[in-house]
């Protein structure tokens, strides 16, 4: 926490956050849905302090009281957006369930190493008060409330609406959005009051994507292609930016500097990164700045295999952009000193679908001379590919997990579901750029007490580069 006379949670600026303490524990949702194991999802607390005797171990598990929730992403009751409010504390982790539509509020303030459930918001609250379902991303607002984006309506159709939770009672207050216009699909979002804007993205129709990916559904319009622009003050949907029919824009990140009127979005299917920016006219536009070429393959779902960019993040100093190619199996680091011309400065392969000796043969590759070797660490051959990423505050350590979403894990990486996911750590060269796997770090979720589990998004107790927004 920042040291000052009367401050709220987090840090005054992103650069102050970079000087924050080293992470000692991480929280990860662990998912049993689609694994064949009839156990509830749980929140794992992992010790990542190299001085600790429990380094790289799960030190606590908080099971949810229901089966098949599909915990997914998490957020906070308060973050750096409330830094000026000394009455606020970052002590509740918000855990929306992608499939059950429950929202768990977890107390991590009483004992950060042994979280406990504080409150459960039942799905019917979202259905009745907001006509939304499938909650995804949660961000804390400067007002003290919590804003959560949703993928659909209670019937499983697509609907890019939002729900607002009271930051003290965690009661559902209703929808954030006003007016008749709502995008047909939803997913992630970021907001920046200095530019009077909220930007949201689109994954797909919940009932269509729930059990797996069918390429024909892209043609039918069941998957997203737009960044949706909202007026922050009036809560109204004002513009859509088309990124192309095969795009599927997922994670969206503004630059951390609150004065910056630009950021990046990662598109999964087109495997592109687009820079979005405010124009001189005052509206918003986007341009493609990175493209990962597909590989021509045999022995796979389609003849062309996309990289499938599934998570992106920006270092707190706005110098580097990172993303994962879940199918190709690599993580990349780009220097974004010039946001219009990102420069690849680091890359590491951590498994994926094109490894040597696997079922897929690459017949044409614009990037690699040969298929990468399987990724082995501490004697374990790692199944799946790199997916969720989280960067240490100082930018020197990148944590990685390998599960995307249980329904798609089962389809693309059946071995991942059988063996469980992993968490890895990559050392980052923050001077020149460069990525190197820490060979001493492995958290193997295949060895959990109730059987192999799928661990997903990573959070630090003090906030991080994907949870905190500076306003």
């Amino acid at each position: 926490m920042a040291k000052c006379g009367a401050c709220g949670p987090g840090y005054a600026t992103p650069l102050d956050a970079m000087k924050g303490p080293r992470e000692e524990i991480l929280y990860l949702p662990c998912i049993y849905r689609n694994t064949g194991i009839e156990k509830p999802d749980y929140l794992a607390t992992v010790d990542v302090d190299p001085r600790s005797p429990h380094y790289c171990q799960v030190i606590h598990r908080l099971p949810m009281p229901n089966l098949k929730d599909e915990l997914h992403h998490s957020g906070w009751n308060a973050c750096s957006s409330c830094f000026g409010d000394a009455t606020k504390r970052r002590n509740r982790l918000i855990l929306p369930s992608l499939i059950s539509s429950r929202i768990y509020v977890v107390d991590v303030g009483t004992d950060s190493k042994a979280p406990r459930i504080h409150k459960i918001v039942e799905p019917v609250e979202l259905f009745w008060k907001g006509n939304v379902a499938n909650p995804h991303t949660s961000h804390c607002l400067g007002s003290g409330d919590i804003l959560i984006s949703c993928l659909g309506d209670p019937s499983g159709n697509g609907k890019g609406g939002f729900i607002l939770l009271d930051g003290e009672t965690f009661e559902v207050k209703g929808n954030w959005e006003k007016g008749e216009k709502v995008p047909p699909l939803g997913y992630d979002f970021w907001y920046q009051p200095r530019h009077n804007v909220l930007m949201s993205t689109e994954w797909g129709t919940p009932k269509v994507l729930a059990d797996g990916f069918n390429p024909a559904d892209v043609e039918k319009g069941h998957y997203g292609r737009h960044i949706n622009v909202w007026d922050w003050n009036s809560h109204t949907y004002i513009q859509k930016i088309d990124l192309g029919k095969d795009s599927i824009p997922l994670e969206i990140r503004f630059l951390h500097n609150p004065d910056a009127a630009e950021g990046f979005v990662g598109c999964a299917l087109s495997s592109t990164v687009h820079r979005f920016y405010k124009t001189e006219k005052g509206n918003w536009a986007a341009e493609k700045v990175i493209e990962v070429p597909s590989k021509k393959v045999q022995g796979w779902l389609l003849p062309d295999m996309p990289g499938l960019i599934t998570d992106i993040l920006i270092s707190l100093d706005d110098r580097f952009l990172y993303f994962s190619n879940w199918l190709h199996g690599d993580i990349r680091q780009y220097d974004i000193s010039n946001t219009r011309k990102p420069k690849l400065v680091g890359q590491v392969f951590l498994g994926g679908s094109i490894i040597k000796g696997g079922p897929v043969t690459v017949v044409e590759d614009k990037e690699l001379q040969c298929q990468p070797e399987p990724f082995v660490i501490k004697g374990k051959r790692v199944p799946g590919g790199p997916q969720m990423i989280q960067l240490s505050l100082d930018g020197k350590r990148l944590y990685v997990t390998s599960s995307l979403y249980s329904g798609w894990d089962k389809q693309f990486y059946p071995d991942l579901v059988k063996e469980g996911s992993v968490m890895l750590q990559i050392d980052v060269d923050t001077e020149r750029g460069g990525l190197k796997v820490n060979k001493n770090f492995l958290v193997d979720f295949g060895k959990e007490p109730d059987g192999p589990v799928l661990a997903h998004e990573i959070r630090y107790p003090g906030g991080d580069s994907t949870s905190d927004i500076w306003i």
Side-chain angles (χ1 to χ4, degrees):
M1 286 301 191
K3 300 282 187 287
C4 73
C7 296
Y11 303 90
T13 69
L15 295 179
D16 283 349
M18 288 192 85
K19 301 180 196 125
R22 181 184 169 128
E23 66 287 351
E24 294 180 355
I25 56 173
L26 310 179
Y27 301 126
L28 301 94
C30 293
I31 293 92
Y32 272 125
R33 186 174 162 272
N34 273 315
T35 64
I37 296 171
E38 294 290 309
K39 292 282 183 181
D41 298 349
Y42 59 93
L43 182 70
T45 306
V46 178
D47 188 326
V48 292
D49 180 356
R51 301 161 306 179
S52 163
H54 304 295
Y55 182 55
C56 282
Q57 290 173 24
V58 179
I59 56 171
H60 186 267
R61 297 168 187 87
L62 174 68
M64 301 301 119
N66 300 280
L67 292 173
K68 299 184 174 30
D69 278 314
E70 189 90 33
L71 297 181
H72 198 60
H73 286 212
S74 61
W76 292 107
N77 65 318
C79 75
S80 296
S81 64
C82 309
F83 180 74
D85 184 347
T87 66
K88 297 279 187 285
R89 282 183 63 223
R90 188 196 307 260
N91 57 4
R92 303 283 184 264
L93 188 67
I94 313 300
L95 278 176
S97 306
L98 192 60
I99 295 299
S100 72
S101 297
R102 266 185 204 91
I103 300 169
Y104 295 100
V105 180
V106 176
D107 172 4
V108 296
T110 307
D111 184 348
S112 62
K113 293 187 176 175
R116 59 192 76 177
I117 289 180
H118 173 72
K119 183 182 172 86
I120 303 171
V121 179
E122 291 294 345
V124 72
E125 293 279 306
L126 277 67
F127 301 167
W128 285 354
K129 292 181 181 174
N131 192 30
V132 289
N134 313 101
H136 186 272
T137 301
S138 53
H139 279 302
C140 36
L141 306 184
S143 64
D145 288 336
I146 296 149
L147 183 58
I148 303 177
S149 58
C150 297
L151 269 66
D153 70 11
S155 305
N157 304 304
K159 182 184 181 185
F162 295 84
I163 206 83
L164 206 54
L165 295 190
D166 184 284
E168 298 292 327
T169 64
F170 305 101
E171 294 292 325
V172 174
K173 292 175 103 169
N175 296 108
W176 173 82
E177 66 274 15
K178 296 188 173 130
E180 295 301 304
K181 281 171 63 184
V182 178
L185 298 168
Y187 184 68
D188 191 30
F189 76 98
W190 200 273
Y191 67 89
Q192 189 38 262
R194 287 195 194 185
H195 305 293
N196 189 33
V197 73
L198 180 149
M199 301 275 209
S200 62
T201 58
E202 305 179 332
W203 182 10
T205 307
K207 64 185 174 192
V208 170
L209 65 82
D211 295 316
F213 175 68
N214 180 347
D217 289 326
V218 177
E219 292 297 326
K220 291 178 189 166
H222 286 304
Y223 283 94
R225 57 187 291 175
H226 299 105
I227 300 174
N228 294 305
V229 183
W230 302 76
D231 182 290
W232 177 250
N233 289 326
S234 68
H235 303 196
T236 51
Y237 175 39
I238 53 170
Q239 188 192 344
K240 63 182 180 183
I241 304 168
D242 193 348
L243 303 179
K245 99 170 150 50
D246 293 337
S247 52
I248 313 187
L250 295 182
E251 307 296 332
I252 187 161
R253 317 286 188 207
F254 261 85
L255 295 187
H256 296 288
N257 175 357
D259 285 332
E262 62 178 325
F264 298 92
V265 62
C267 297
L269 194 57
S270 59
S271 301
T272 53
V273 174
H274 293 252
R275 168 185 169 258
F276 61 84
Y277 58 96
K278 195 173 198 172
T279 70
E280 286 175 3
K281 290 187 210 150
N283 65 350
W284 295 79
E287 59 179 347
K288 181 169 69 179
V289 291
I290 300 170
E291 183 166 15
V292 176
S294 292
K295 300 180 192 298
K296 295 215 173 301
V297 294
Q298 291 170 345
W300 194 66
L301 174 71
L302 298 164
D304 292 290
M305 182 190 287
L308 212 78
I309 296 175
T310 47
D311 196 14
I312 72 166
L313 63 76
I314 298 170
S315 62
L316 287 167
D317 55 5
D318 292 333
R319 188 167 160 219
F320 293 113
L321 170 81
Y322 299 85
F323 66 76
S324 52
N325 282 310
W326 191 56
L327 292 176
H328 289 178
D330 58 317
I331 285 189
R332 300 184 182 205
Q333 176 193 24
Y334 286 80
D335 183 324
I336 52 167
S337 307
N338 178 348
T339 52
R340 298 196 68 182
K341 293 205 168 102
K343 192 170 105 200
L344 181 64
V345 291
Q347 184 177 25
V348 64
F349 278 84
L350 303 168
S353 292
I354 56 161
I355 51 172
K356 269 186 195 159
V360 175
T361 306
V362 178
V363 289
E364 191 185 310
D365 193 328
K366 291 179 180 162
E367 294 187 314
L368 301 177
Q369 300 302 311
C370 61
Q371 293 181 228
E373 296 291 336
F375 180 69
V376 178
I377 184 164
K378 294 196 161 192
K380 178 183 171 70
R381 180 177 162 146
V382 171
Q387 210 287 102
M388 292 310 294
I389 51 178
Q390 190 55 267
L391 190 65
S392 60
L393 296 178
D394 63 8
K396 292 180 177 173
R397 292 167 300 286
L398 189 71
Y399 294 90
V400 187
T401 56
S402 47
S403 164
L404 171 64
Y405 157 69
S406 70
W408 289 26
D409 293 351
K410 190 163 87 169
Q411 177 181 4
F412 291 102
Y413 290 119
D415 289 352
L416 176 65
V417 176
K418 279 196 216 89
E419 296 176 40
S421 65
V422 297
M423 181 163 63
L424 307 167
Q425 188 239 303
I426 294 163
D427 292 323
V428 179
D429 183 335
T430 52
E431 297 296 315
R432 293 178 302 279
L435 302 175
K436 192 174 166 216
V437 178
N438 176 351
K439 289 289 194 176
N440 297 315
F441 188 102
L442 170 67
V443 183
D444 183 355
F445 289 94
K447 297 195 165 134
E448 285 295 271
D450 286 327
V453 75
L454 302 165
H456 194 62
E457 198 190 34
I458 302 155
R459 281 273 167 261
Y460 309 142
D464 48 61
S465 67
T466 57
S467 70
D468 281 37
I469 293 178
W470 282 268
I471 59 175

